[in-house]
Amino acid sequence: QVQLVESGGGLVQAGGSLRLSCAASGIIFRINAMGWYRQAPGKQRELVAAITSGGSTNYADSVKGRFTISRDNAKRTVYLQMNSLKPEDTAVYFCHVESSYNYWGQGTQVTVSS
């Protein structure tokens, strides 16, 4: 059974930083991209950042220059370093793993106070 265990969310003041982690366990054949999505109340889930097995990255325009995604293939873990956080970054953040199937984490709340 595949599980994605997320950690690192919380409450932070505007301008602060948080680091999210997501570790994949279970049998997953050929992980391609790993990434993070977020969903704010009343809004659709949106891509925040993704990274391929080769290290290519893709970011939402709203987080470019502030967030950095990285991964440890040996540990099957993906990280999201979030700096200069803004109140509009407040959302539930979901880890995503793309292989032959799409796997999702349970979500971790990030709240940025003004």
Side-chain angles (χ1 to χ4, degrees), residues 46-113:
E46 63 175 359
L47 173 69
V48 177
I51 183 168
T52 68
S53 57
S56 296
T57 57
N58 181 35
Y59 294 92
D61 287 342
S62 60
V63 307
K64 284 180 180 176
R66 300 188 297 121
F67 291 10
T68 302
I69 191 169
S70 59
R71 64 188 278 179
D72 184 327
N73 290 330
K75 294 182 178 179
R76 298 196 301 177
T77 299
V78 62
Y79 306 95
L80 186 67
Q81 178 65 43
M82 305 185 293
N83 298 328
S84 302
L85 282 160
K86 303 175 181 180
E88 51 263 44
D89 294 318
T90 295
V92 178
Y93 284 68
F94 296 91
C95 175
H96 174 253
V97 168
E98 177 192 302
S99 64
S100 54
Y101 299 98
N102 285 311
Y103 299 98
W104 293 93
Q106 79 283 359
T108 184
Q109 177 70 45
V110 171
T111 303
V112 184
S113 64

